[in-house]
Amino acid sequence: FGKIYISGQYKNGEPVGIWKYYSSDTLGVLVQQLDFDAHKELFVDPLRISQMICGPRYFGGNMLKNEFIAHHIETDFTPEEKSMYRGQSFNVLFTIDSVSLKPVGISVEDDKLPQAFADKLIATVAAMPAWLPAVCDKKNEVWRFSVKFVF
């Protein structure tokens, strides 16, 4: 407790400027630095790359990915939809395009959902910012991801 793991600022509910990510071990070493204004990774600790996911990474990490999804649930879905699906969760599957680093091949795991609702889930994932490139050399690897929408 009392340790800083992430430092950065928000403006109008969106991350802005330089964000710094520190190790969760007792050292608290800077492991990554991102510029949200320029959408660039400024620093990644080369000694920790082996501990990171090999494939593409969400810009800002899982916490900001979850915030992105939660924000879109709040703003893009009607009160009726949020009420109807309260307590339920839905997985949306996708791959990351190796050139644009954006989600492609997006599908909803539950094929019984009304198409209009499924289209909103898909649109949210399609609106994600570009991901960071893989940190390893697996040129022909296809990286399949999923995000969970919890209502």
Side-chain angles (χ1 to χ4, degrees):
F1 296 91
K3 284 180 44 180
I4 295 176
Y5 296 102
I6 300 172
S7 68
Q9 295 185 346
Y10 289 91
K11 182 177 182 181
N12 299 324
E14 298 291 327
V16 295
I18 306 295
W19 280 56
K20 296 179 180 181
Y21 297 80
Y22 300 90
S23 64
S24 59
D25 59 24
T26 56
L27 301 176
V29 174
L30 179 68
V31 294
Q32 187 179 39
Q33 190 172 18
L34 302 175
D35 182 341
F36 277 85
D37 296 337
H39 197 80
K40 292 200 183 289
E41 184 172 51
L42 303 176
F43 171 77
V44 61
D45 182 348
L47 298 176
R48 297 193 182 256
I49 285 178
S50 63
Q51 299 169 1
M52 298 169 72
I53 181 173
C54 179
R57 299 159 289 140
Y58 186 82
F59 193 86
N62 285 331
M63 180 190 80
L64 291 182
K65 179 175 63 177
N66 293 337
E67 285 183 8
F68 178 89
I69 297 299
H71 171 75
H72 280 272
I73 288 172
E74 183 62 33
T75 59
D76 298 352
F77 293 85
T78 67
E80 294 78 18
E81 289 169 326
K82 290 185 265 192
S83 176
M84 181 184 308
Y85 295 110
R86 181 171 285 121
Q88 297 182 54
S89 62
F90 305 99
N91 284 319
V92 178
L93 311 170
F94 58 97
T95 57
I96 297 297
D97 180 78
S98 62
V99 176
S100 70
L101 296 172
K102 296 278 289 172
V104 295
I106 306 166
S107 64
V108 179
E109 203 169 54
D110 186 338
D111 60 359
K112 294 179 177 66
L113 287 174
Q115 191 61 49
F117 184 78
D119 288 346
K120 285 184 178 182
L121 297 171
I122 290 168
T124 297
V125 172
M128 284 180 168
W131 287 42
L132 292 167
V135 293
C136 61
D137 275 337
K138 292 192 176 178
K139 304 276 188 230
N140 297 323
E141 191 78 34
V142 175
W143 300 99
R144 192 85 175 136
F145 293 92
S146 68
V147 290
K148 184 176 280 195
F149 287 72
V150 179
F151 286 83

